[in-house]
Amino acid sequence: MAFNDIPVDTLKRKIDELKRFLSTSLCISNAHTVDFYTRDVWSTFMCVSPDDVLYAISSTQDRMRAIEEKKNTTFGFCNASKKLVDISALLRAAKAHCLPALGVCMQLEDLMQNLRLMTGDTTAGESSDKVVAPDEFMNCKKAHEVQAMSEVVASLAKYCRVKQVIDVGSGKGYLCSYLSMRFNLQVFGIDSSSTNTHGAQERNRKLKKFSKAYQKPNKATRKQTLDSEDESKQHSRNSENSEGIKNFITEEKQSFEARADSSALSKQVTNDLSALDNAEECPLDPNDSDSGSSFLSMMFLDVIEDVSPRVHPSQLSLEEREKRKRENLERKAGEGRGNIRDDGLFSPLTSYVTAETELKTLITELEDAVLVGLHTCGDLAPSTLRMFGAKQELRAVCSVGCCYHLLSEEFDQDRQGCVVGVCGFPVSQYLKAQACFCGRNARMSACLALERVSAGGGLPMESLFYRAVLHVILRDHYDCFKSEKRVGNVYSKASSFVDYVRRALRKLDLDDTKLSDGDIQSYHEHYSPRMNEMVAFNMLKVILAPCIEGLILLDRLCYLKEQDNVSHSALVQLFDPLQSPRCYAVVGIKESTV
């Protein structure tokens, strides 16, 4: 039976549709929050009121109604002024250009069914006698991701008739451990951090020794539980998504005084999240508020996935390079003596890998394998796909990326972050030929989680408001408001706006005695009535986020379809976006050599 994936010509047509929409609307996503008042961002891009925007977003009925688009407009933007004049038209267009509406994704159930039929079996993988329930040794989010992805990886391995898996950016080894124990696969976890590699090895050892999870689950009970959960989730999501945005907007339109408690609660939630067992986040620079990292670190901490920071070998110290070399040599020596994982099939390695990395030098016992990456950070996700295309021994790939703000762009004039000229976006020749470019602020916006906000997740806006008003003060009273120094996360330590400004000025080495408390507070009072502009504008960024993410992912899918040695490829939603916002996997399979 043929693999039911989307034809490349159809995919390119969908990419063109999405690009056309983003060419008009991307200006909103690329606007810098820090400059919101100094550059009068609202008046620059909008010809509607903030209240109209917030009402339209909260009114699901308006979004569903087919209303004739105004004349001389494109997706709600005036053709002459390029400003937004029809919010309903923009919302309808955004919904029509997200991945589910474009019809480019394969359902997970269809992928699994295809693989089972192509394999000639009804089982999804070969399990060992000792089966581990993932929720026994990891949090709910990670358990959800690992269980869903491991089923796909095991099915890919069975179809390709391989017993080895390479997990790139393996981090703490959650997926590696589960694949080895649940499906008896030989897994090599490669991470650029020696700390992560050592931690994964130690964690795997303790798991085997102390885990309570060596009990085979009752399949009928598990299926009944999953079916019940799916029905419950679907019912609750239908009601929550429509009410969540309404509740959020109602709360945000209250005065600052009434939001003081919620601001404190937001800080507490942020602290609680950072204390989770695997709250190892994307390497955001806490001091980089002017460049925009604070937009994510303050607003959407729960959206950032668990990742391992990628450090290029040229940036490593001599000591660290020697340490990595020694650890890998010791591992190989141990395996040469016949000590190849007596108690398991998971082997962590420390290395920085690219498409040019010779895997057989790194893994001497390497055979044909499946290449996987669960929330590979920034350029590592496209690098994983390039590696898959370049290495004949890699028979299939399943890649879930994250941290789009850390992607390097080939057609970014600054070209920041590209390693030896190889950039993370675009990867397909189709978008390269069009010199496709998103922009850093837009890529940061792509990290936002519409589903979580729709379900009432909320956006703690006060910190962004403080930073934008501070920028006005720096412009009005100081000559160095474009200073190389960064404000950083001063907000979390400040007791009030006045305290925030004084802390920020001192951090910038500026004379805070130049302004009285009354002078500072007057700025707060002047801009507070315009807070709803920032709330409405950032809600539009959230609405557009899935479209930007869609372009990045379709570029990766298009890349696989351009490879002559890849026979099947698809974009599949693996995870529940409420639990795991970066929920899409790029899956590819090479022609059989048998």
Side-chain angles (χ1 to χ4, degrees):
M1 178 179 175
F3 198 86
N4 186 25
D5 50 357
I6 183 173
V8 65
D9 290 340
T10 303
L11 174 61
K12 290 178 178 179
R13 189 167 61 251
K14 297 293 184 179
I15 290 175
D16 290 342
E17 292 175 13
L18 181 52
K19 275 189 76 245
R20 179 173 176 265
F21 170 63
L22 289 176
S23 68
T24 302
S25 59
L26 206 60
C27 58
I28 291 177
S29 300
N30 267 321
H32 206 316
T33 308
V34 168
D35 299 321
F36 194 80
Y37 297 118
T38 55
R39 295 189 178 180
D40 200 6
V41 169
W42 185 266
S43 297
T44 301
F45 297 108
M46 314 294 286
C47 271
V48 291
S49 73
D51 288 343
D52 288 343
V53 171
L54 295 174
Y55 176 78
I57 292 175
S58 64
S59 177
T60 54
Q61 290 184 349
D62 281 356
R63 278 188 283 172
M64 295 301 294
R65 275 192 298 161
I67 304 173
E68 185 177 351
E69 191 166 333
K70 294 180 180 180
K71 292 182 178 180
N72 300 316
T73 64
T74 304
F75 304 124
F77 288 85
C78 174
N79 293 337
S81 68
K82 308 301 181 185
K83 295 184 179 183
L84 182 64
V85 295
D86 186 348
I87 178 60
S88 295
L90 176 62
L91 296 180
R92 290 195 303 274
K95 185 174 182 179
H97 290 87
C98 62
L99 288 175
L102 287 172
V104 292
C105 297
M106 177 181 284
Q107 295 296 316
L108 177 58
E109 295 78 9
D110 293 339
L111 171 67
M112 298 300 289
Q113 180 68 5
N114 267 274
L115 290 172
R116 284 192 286 268
L117 290 173
M118 291 163 70
T119 306
D121 201 344
T122 57
T123 58
E126 183 179 333
S127 62
S128 64
D129 292 334
K130 296 180 179 180
V131 178
V132 181
D135 55 352
E136 290 288 335
F137 59 95
M138 61 187 83
N139 67 32
C140 292
K141 174 180 178 293
K142 187 60 67 177
H144 170 67
E145 295 164 352
V146 165
Q147 189 158 22
M149 191 163 186
S150 64
E151 294 286 346
V152 173
V153 173
S155 293
L156 289 171
K158 189 167 189 177
Y159 170 73
C160 296
R161 300 179 183 179
V162 302
K163 297 295 291 183
Q164 291 185 346
V165 174
I166 300 175
D167 183 3
V168 179
S170 54
K172 296 182 180 179
Y174 292 105
L175 180 62
C176 298
S177 298
Y178 191 70
L179 282 169
S180 65
M181 285 187 268
R182 171 70 177 87
F183 296 101
N184 201 35
L185 292 166
Q186 185 178 14
V187 186
F188 301 95
I190 304 177
D191 197 275
S192 63
S193 167
S194 59
T195 301
N196 276 346
T197 302
H198 178 75
Q201 184 71 70
E202 183 65 15
R203 179 183 167 280
N204 197 50
R205 183 187 67 79
K206 290 181 179 179
L207 174 64
K208 293 175 183 299
K209 187 174 182 180
F210 299 113
S211 176
K212 300 181 297 180
Y214 288 105
Q215 299 175 15
K216 196 160 187 173
N218 183 302
K219 292 185 178 180
T221 303
R222 184 172 62 185
K223 184 178 186 304
Q224 183 178 1
T225 303
L226 289 174
D227 290 343
S228 175
E229 287 179 355
D230 288 342
E231 291 179 8
S232 176
K233 285 179 183 176
Q234 187 62 41
H235 176 74
S236 62
R237 193 173 306 154
N238 289 339
S239 59
E240 286 178 1
N241 282 358
S242 60
E243 294 297 326
I245 290 181
K246 290 182 182 179
N247 294 338
F248 160 68
I249 290 174
T250 300
E251 292 170 3
E252 285 296 333
K253 288 175 71 177
Q254 296 174 355
S255 66
F256 266 122
E257 289 76 10
R259 284 203 307 272
D261 290 339
S262 69
S263 174
L265 177 60
S266 173
K267 295 177 188 177
Q268 183 59 49
V269 170
T270 299
N271 293 335
D272 291 344
L273 282 167
S274 64
L276 287 174
D277 170 59
N278 62 340
E280 194 175 83
E281 294 126 13
C282 294
L284 291 174
D285 183 357
N287 299 318
D288 196 17
S289 65
D290 289 338
S291 68
S293 293
S294 62
F295 184 70
L296 292 178
S297 63
M298 294 304 298
M299 282 179 72
F300 304 97
L301 188 60
D302 60 339
V303 176
I304 307 302
E305 306 298 342
D306 307 330
V307 298
S308 306
R310 288 257 289 171
V311 182
H312 193 265
S314 62
Q315 299 174 338
L316 292 173
S317 65
L318 179 61
E319 181 182 0
E320 176 64 19
R321 286 199 292 267
E322 288 298 322
K323 180 180 178 183
R324 291 186 180 192
K325 183 178 179 180
R326 185 172 62 254
E327 288 175 346
N328 288 334
L329 287 173
E330 288 174 355
R331 180 190 65 82
K332 291 179 182 180
E335 291 169 0
R337 292 191 297 270
N339 299 327
I340 305 179
R341 293 173 298 281
D342 297 337
D343 57 349
L345 298 168
F346 168 37
S347 178
L349 305 169
T350 303
S351 180
Y352 182 98
V353 292
T354 68
E356 288 70 41
T357 301
E358 186 53 61
L359 293 176
K360 290 185 177 180
T361 301
L362 186 64
I363 306 170
T364 54
E365 65 269 42
L366 180 65
E367 304 169 358
D368 284 356
V370 175
L371 183 66
V372 303
L374 175 54
H375 290 146
T376 45
C377 183
D379 285 348
L380 183 55
S383 182
T384 299
L385 299 182
R386 288 190 176 104
M387 191 186 309
F388 169 66
K391 309 295 181 185
Q392 183 60 29
E393 62 268 24
L394 301 177
R395 307 308 306 162
V397 66
C398 183
S399 171
V400 180
C402 69
C403 309
Y404 304 127
H405 60 296
L406 295 178
L407 276 175
S408 57
E409 293 198 62
E410 180 172 348
F411 301 102
D412 181 356
Q413 293 181 350
D414 295 334
R415 289 293 295 273
Q416 295 179 357
C418 287
V419 177
V420 294
V422 179
C423 295
F425 180 85
V427 290
S428 68
Q429 290 301 318
Y430 186 67
L431 285 182
K432 281 177 179 285
Q434 302 176 51
C436 187
F437 173 73
C438 286
R440 186 170 188 270
N441 288 334
R443 286 184 281 106
M444 292 181 72
S445 296
C447 295
L448 308 183
L450 173 60
E451 290 81 7
R452 287 187 175 179
V453 175
S454 298
L459 308 175
M461 296 296 304
E462 190 176 63
S463 60
L464 297 174
F465 175 79
Y466 278 13
R467 183 63 187 87
V469 178
L470 171 66
H471 212 55
V472 179
I473 294 174
L474 293 174
R475 179 199 64 186
D476 291 351
H477 298 279
Y478 300 89
D479 296 330
C480 53
F481 76 103
K482 287 294 184 182
S483 169
E484 291 299 320
K485 296 180 180 179
R486 304 297 183 183
V487 172
N489 189 16
V490 173
Y491 173 78
S492 63
K493 304 170 185 176
S495 59
S496 66
F497 178 72
V498 173
D499 185 36
Y500 170 86
V501 171
R502 295 205 179 282
R503 286 175 179 268
L505 292 175
R506 288 194 292 269
K507 188 163 186 178
L508 294 171
D509 291 332
L510 298 175
D511 182 10
D512 69 306
T513 63
K514 187 175 181 179
L515 298 172
S516 67
D517 287 355
D519 292 334
I520 296 173
Q521 187 62 29
S522 67
Y523 279 89
H524 184 278
E525 293 170 357
H526 177 75
Y527 284 98
S528 288
R530 296 180 58 187
M531 174 64 179
N532 59 348
E533 294 178 1
M534 183 173 280
V535 173
F537 199 84
N538 280 305
M539 282 302 298
L540 289 178
K541 286 192 172 189
V542 173
I543 294 293
L544 293 172
C547 302
I548 305 168
E549 179 181 33
L551 181 64
I552 293 170
L553 294 177
L554 292 184
D555 170 57
R556 295 173 184 178
L557 177 60
C558 189
Y559 169 81
L560 287 186
K561 292 189 178 296
E562 293 172 345
Q563 308 308 305
D564 293 336
N565 60 349
V566 177
S567 58
H568 307 300
S569 55
L571 187 61
V572 185
Q573 181 179 323
L574 288 190
F575 314 134
D576 178 351
L578 274 175
Q579 292 193 61
S580 182
R582 307 282 75 80
C583 59
Y584 290 99
V586 180
V587 178
I589 304 173
K590 287 179 181 171
E591 288 283 4
S592 175
T593 56
V594 179

